[in-house]
Amino acid sequence: MSLSTNYFSPDYSTARARFLRMAEAARGRLESLVLDAGGPTGEALTIDIAWFGSLQPHRVLLHSSGLHGVEAFAGSAIQLKFLDSLPEIPDDAAIVLIHTLNPYGMAWLRRVNEANVDLNRNFLGPGEDYSRAPDLYGKLDSFLNSTSLPSWDYFHLKTAWFRVRYGGDRLREAIAGGQYEYPRGLFFGGTKLQQGPEKYQNFIAQRLASVERIVAIDVHTGLGKYSEDTLLVDEKYYQAHRAIFGPRVEPLDRDLSSAYRVRGGIHSMFYRLFSEVELFFLSQEFGTYNPVSVLYALREENRWHHYGDGSVDHPTKHRLKDAFAPNDDSWRQRVLVRGRELLKQAVEVAFTASNQP
Ligand SMILES: [Zn+2]
């Protein structure tokens, strides 16, 4: 058995049990945000939170996993490893670990939640409405969101043709930028703030009311070069964050033109809530396979969910899990090493005394 097996869990229930056990052993205060939805074997689905240090902290290191459900395996593993040897925490500070922001997606091997919502498109602010889709998404809808069981239907050939016709950048932007018109489609942002995000938003608004500085890391997988990580940040803070966290920092919307930005990202909620606070929000994104393979896996699983019986022991589910958490020890080791390195950096930034008077 390899070392990464101790941290990479085979399923949601195992990951959750390990997290609760290890957080308790490390003397964390535990709290669970319970969702109405259930898991494949009827198990409860919870966003579990382990809190270490001050209850009214001025400085906080916050680490979250699984906003995109099936992407949770990497973030969960990083958290379990971190729990093995937590750093010292100053008196006025706290470390807060958020285990699986989308437990439904991890349990059911979906990237979206119980209402088919991509939660990283769901955090719209006041005055933003849950409507619209890029025109090109509408044209691609019947291809992307085929209303039949998974089957061989020239996906790669059609994708190649669309790339020639529309260009790779425009295609990526239209597909992955998010949409609010096709509720059974990929990258659907929802029609309202979802239960998990709402409970989470309330939790941090109340419990982090005293903070002056937050370093937040939200772990994702599936985008970028295999086993390499990118630190995606809000474009406005790109230069400043790069100066602190180094050359892996990239602006969140680097692939998108200014015509269509991703809306409703979780970082936008943080910047709204903590506009007076020194905030560093980084999405640590680990690359897996090429975008066409990942899109194929998403599309086939989406067909199985909506037009099959959606059971988790199915080839489309196994493929999706592999697309976001490759069953490859070298990939997993790399995730653990880089997850740990970034946490070390984040601890320094979060807990080093500010120069401000
Ligand atoms: Zn993600």
Side-chain angles (χ1 to χ4, degrees):
M1 189 186 277
S2 74
L3 184 65
S4 70
T5 313
N6 298 334
Y7 301 109
F8 273 83
S9 303
D11 52 43
Y12 166 72
S13 295
T14 308
R16 176 173 190 251
R18 285 176 173 177
F19 180 79
L20 296 178
R21 193 173 59 238
M22 290 180 70
E24 202 167 23
R27 297 171 186 272
R29 290 181 200 85
L30 284 164
E31 201 161 329
S32 296
L33 310 178
V34 183
L35 301 193
D36 294 337
T41 56
E43 70 269 37
L45 298 177
T46 53
I47 299 168
D48 295 298
I49 301 167
W51 190 292
F52 303 88
S54 168
L55 285 177
Q56 290 183 316
H58 294 153
R59 300 177 284 173
V60 166
L61 168 64
L62 184 140
H63 189 278
S64 53
S65 63
L67 182 66
H68 279 146
V70 67
E71 297 178 18
F73 293 91
S76 169
I78 291 169
Q79 291 172 335
L80 295 182
K81 183 146 195 277
F82 192 47
L83 283 169
D84 259 350
S85 54
L86 286 172
E88 255 186 70
I89 305 171
D91 288 345
D92 70 336
I95 290 176
V96 183
L97 305 182
I98 317 286
H99 190 256
T100 62
L101 282 165
N102 172 11
Y104 175 93
M106 188 184 194
W108 286 94
L109 303 178
R110 302 213 77 203
R111 188 170 169 279
V112 290
N113 81 341
E114 57 275 18
N116 197 52
V117 174
D118 178 335
L119 298 186
N120 214 21
R121 309 285 182 276
N122 187 241
F123 289 89
L124 295 183
E128 289 184 281
D129 60 334
Y130 289 85
S131 68
R132 288 188 286 133
D135 291 344
L136 183 51
Y137 189 101
K139 287 189 187 136
L140 298 170
D141 170 53
S142 62
F143 158 70
L144 279 177
N145 308 313
S146 171
T147 59
S148 59
L149 281 168
S151 61
W152 193 81
D153 61 354
Y154 301 100
F155 169 84
H156 288 90
L157 202 66
K158 287 177 185 167
T159 305
W161 161 241
F162 287 133
R163 284 169 71 99
V164 170
R165 178 151 184 210
Y166 299 112
D169 288 352
R170 214 182 136 209
L171 211 54
R172 187 164 50 240
E173 183 177 316
I175 295 171
Q179 54 88 10
Y180 300 86
E181 296 287 334
Y182 303 90
R184 289 187 163 196
L186 299 175
F187 305 99
F188 174 58
T191 54
K192 61 176 183 192
L193 189 63
Q194 296 293 293
Q195 185 183 40
E198 187 171 20
K199 288 191 171 194
Y200 181 51
Q201 181 173 289
N202 290 341
F203 176 87
I204 58 171
Q206 285 164 19
R207 304 292 289 281
L208 298 181
S210 58
V211 294
E212 292 160 12
R213 182 190 301 161
I214 306 174
V215 180
I217 300 168
D218 191 42
V219 180
H220 292 255
T221 61
L223 191 71
K225 283 194 192 142
Y226 191 80
S227 86
E228 288 183 23
D229 65 313
T230 314
L231 307 175
L232 299 170
V233 303
D234 191 298
E235 201 173 65
K236 266 184 279 183
Y237 311 101
Y238 163 59
Q239 296 292 355
H241 284 25
R242 198 177 170 100
I244 295 171
F245 289 96
R248 282 189 173 83
V249 171
E250 297 281 353
L252 254 170
D253 292 345
R254 67 183 159 161
D255 290 339
L256 304 180
S257 75
S258 55
Y260 196 88
R261 298 280 178 206
V262 171
R263 294 195 296 148
I266 191 169
H267 68 290
S268 63
M269 182 264 283
F270 272 79
Y271 282 104
R272 275 195 299 278
L273 280 182
F274 300 109
S275 57
E276 307 293 313
V277 168
E278 196 184 355
L279 169 63
F280 303 85
F281 193 100
L282 305 117
S283 296
Q284 187 175 28
E285 176 81 61
F286 289 94
T288 58
Y289 303 108
N290 74 70
V292 175
S293 304
V294 172
L295 180 64
Y296 179 68
L298 283 167
R299 177 184 186 258
E300 296 304 283
E301 187 279 332
N302 198 47
R303 296 169 86 180
W304 176 243
H305 176 81
H306 291 296
Y307 306 104
D309 71 16
S311 54
V312 289
D313 190 14
H314 187 265
T316 58
K317 296 288 189 181
H318 303 313
R319 186 187 294 123
L320 193 73
K321 188 181 173 194
D322 191 60
F324 289 101
N327 191 11
D328 163 8
D329 202 50
S330 69
W331 186 87
R332 295 180 171 197
Q333 293 289 358
R334 195 68 202 133
V335 165
L336 290 173
V337 167
R338 278 295 306 150
R340 181 76 203 189
E341 279 175 9
L342 180 61
L343 273 163
K344 194 162 177 254
Q345 242 181 330
V347 164
E348 279 165 24
V349 174
F351 298 159
T352 303
S354 172
N355 293 326
Q356 289 161 4

